[in-house]
């Protein structure tokens, strides 16, 4: 099995894949101070509960946008799973796509992984919208090249800032509204409407401008935990794939690791 690790700003997702099948996946908050020993205790217990053996893991790949956690995650792979992980962003790892921006090293590893998976699984040209800590829009050309994108504040980040900056505004969750009515009659309704329909407006506006710049027929693929919350209320998203990053890591691993010959 292949171990994939996607370390984001808020959460780190571990997944075990058997070919294209996701066998298990687990999520833990991203904490810079967490050591490889702590990761080992955590994941060993979860694997035991799932009746999985670390010896069945024969490869690993890691992508992170939080550099300080990389060393501990690499140590986890080496010590517990007995394998050296591929690291997205390492110059020796071939993504199979061009990165057509002035400073390719500035592009987050997760965005490049999504570009690889988006093109191989859905074709191009394509816009990938990832609803994470930041809401990112990534433009993939017809031949799979990464062309750039847009970074906006994430939804939960915006909610946190609103609550912190305004004394009388409570913390709320992002939810799909029960009606299409925009006008709120309570503070809670008004906040939920502002966040939800505000992000729909941001989504539709940026997608429209990107299509004008590149190709009016570009498809839009949503990913990230909140993608489905918006999918049913806007025509700006053509499809949703919550496992896009995991499959992108798998595809990059398969591209870079030659399977052993069968005798």
């Amino acid at each position: 099995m292949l171990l994939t690790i996607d370390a984001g700003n808020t959460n780190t997702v571990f997944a075990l894949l058997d070919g294209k099948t996701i066998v298990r996946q687990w999520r833990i908050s991203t904490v810079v101070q967490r050591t490889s020993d702590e990761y080992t205790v955590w994941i060993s217990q979860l694997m035991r509960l799932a009746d999985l053996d670390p010896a069945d893991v024969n490869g690993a790949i890691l992508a992170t946008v939080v550099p300080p956690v990389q060393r501990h995650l690499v140590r986890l792979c080496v010590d517990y799973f007995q394998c050296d992980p591929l690291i997205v962003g390492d110059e020796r790892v071939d993504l199979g796509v061009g990165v057509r921006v002035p400073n390719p090293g500035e592009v987050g590893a997760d965005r490049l992984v999504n570009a690889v998976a988006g093109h191989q699984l859905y074709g191009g040209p394509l816009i990938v919208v990832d609803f994470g800590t930041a809401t990112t829009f990534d433009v993939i050309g017809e031949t799979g090249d990464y062309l750039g994108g847009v970074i906006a504040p994430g939804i939960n980040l915006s909610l946190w800032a609103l609550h912190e900056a305004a004394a009388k505004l409570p913390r709320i969750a992002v939810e799909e509204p029960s009606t299409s009515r925009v006008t709120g009659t309570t503070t809670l309704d008004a906040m939920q409407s502002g966040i939800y329909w505000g992000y729909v407006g941001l989504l539709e506006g940026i997608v429209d401008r990107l299509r004008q710049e590149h190709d009016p027929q570009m498809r839009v693929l949503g990913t990230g935990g909140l993608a489905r919350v918006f999918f049913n209320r806007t025509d700006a998203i053509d499809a949703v794939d919550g496992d896009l990053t995991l499959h992108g890591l798998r595809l990059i691993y398969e591209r870079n690791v030659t399977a052993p010959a069968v005798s």
Side-chain angles (χ1 to χ4, degrees):
M1 289 189 295
L2 173 66
L3 171 68
T4 66
I5 306 175
D6 172 28
N9 288 297
T10 302
N11 294 308
T12 299
V13 179
F14 295 75
L16 292 174
L17 286 81
D18 185 1
K20 298 179 181 179
T21 302
I22 299 173
V23 178
R24 284 288 190 282
Q25 62 175 295
W26 304 282
R27 185 179 301 265
I28 190 172
S29 57
T30 300
V31 176
V32 171
Q33 293 81 9
R34 185 173 283 122
T35 67
S36 60
D37 291 336
E38 291 174 299
Y39 282 119
T40 298
V41 171
W42 173 77
I43 200 167
S44 63
Q45 292 177 338
L46 290 171
M47 292 187 68
R48 192 177 300 115
L49 288 171
D51 198 24
L52 294 167
D53 188 339
D56 293 333
V57 175
N58 51 26
I61 183 168
L62 161 67
T64 179
V65 295
V66 186
V69 306
Q70 179 173 304
R71 176 170 60 91
H72 301 294
L73 291 170
V74 169
R75 180 53 55 192
L76 167 73
C77 294
V78 172
D79 290 348
Y80 185 63
F81 292 103
Q82 306 297 307
C83 58
D84 290 311
L86 295 182
I87 300 174
V88 177
D90 188 313
E91 61 182 12
R92 295 168 294 182
V93 175
D94 178 18
L95 301 180
V97 300
V99 184
R100 309 301 181 195
V101 296
N103 297 304
E106 291 183 349
V107 183
D110 54 343
R111 301 173 72 188
L112 295 177
V113 171
N114 286 345
V116 170
H119 181 258
Q120 291 202 36
L121 300 177
Y122 296 90
L126 184 71
I127 300 168
V128 177
V129 185
D130 190 344
F131 295 85
T133 305
T135 299
T136 58
F137 300 73
D138 293 306
V139 180
I140 297 96
E142 187 170 358
T143 60
D145 288 349
Y146 179 85
L147 304 180
V150 175
I151 302 174
I155 301 165
N156 285 317
L157 186 61
S158 297
L159 284 171
W160 175 84
L162 192 61
H163 169 68
E164 288 294 311
K168 290 189 175 182
L169 297 185
R171 291 289 296 271
I172 64 171
V174 182
E175 297 178 353
E176 183 177 347
S178 57
T179 71
S180 58
R181 180 179 174 82
V182 176
T183 305
T185 55
T186 68
T187 297
L188 179 61
D189 287 345
M191 290 178 67
Q192 288 178 330
S193 182
I195 287 293
Y196 189 88
W197 295 114
Y199 266 85
V200 168
L202 178 144
L203 173 66
E204 293 175 344
I206 291 179
V207 165
D208 181 62
R209 288 177 180 273
L210 288 174
R211 281 173 166 161
Q212 289 180 42
E213 286 184 2
H214 297 278
D215 185 335
Q217 303 304 315
M218 293 184 88
R219 297 187 68 210
V220 178
L221 176 64
T223 191
L226 292 173
R228 291 196 179 277
V229 176
F230 294 90
F231 181 58
N232 294 326
R233 294 301 184 98
T234 177
D235 294 330
I237 303 175
D238 297 304
V240 170
D241 187 339
D243 298 321
L244 188 71
T245 307
L246 301 183
H247 287 297
L249 289 168
R250 171 183 62 81
L251 290 165
I252 293 170
Y253 183 87
E254 291 172 351
R255 181 179 184 85
N256 285 269
V257 177
T258 304
V262 178
S263 59

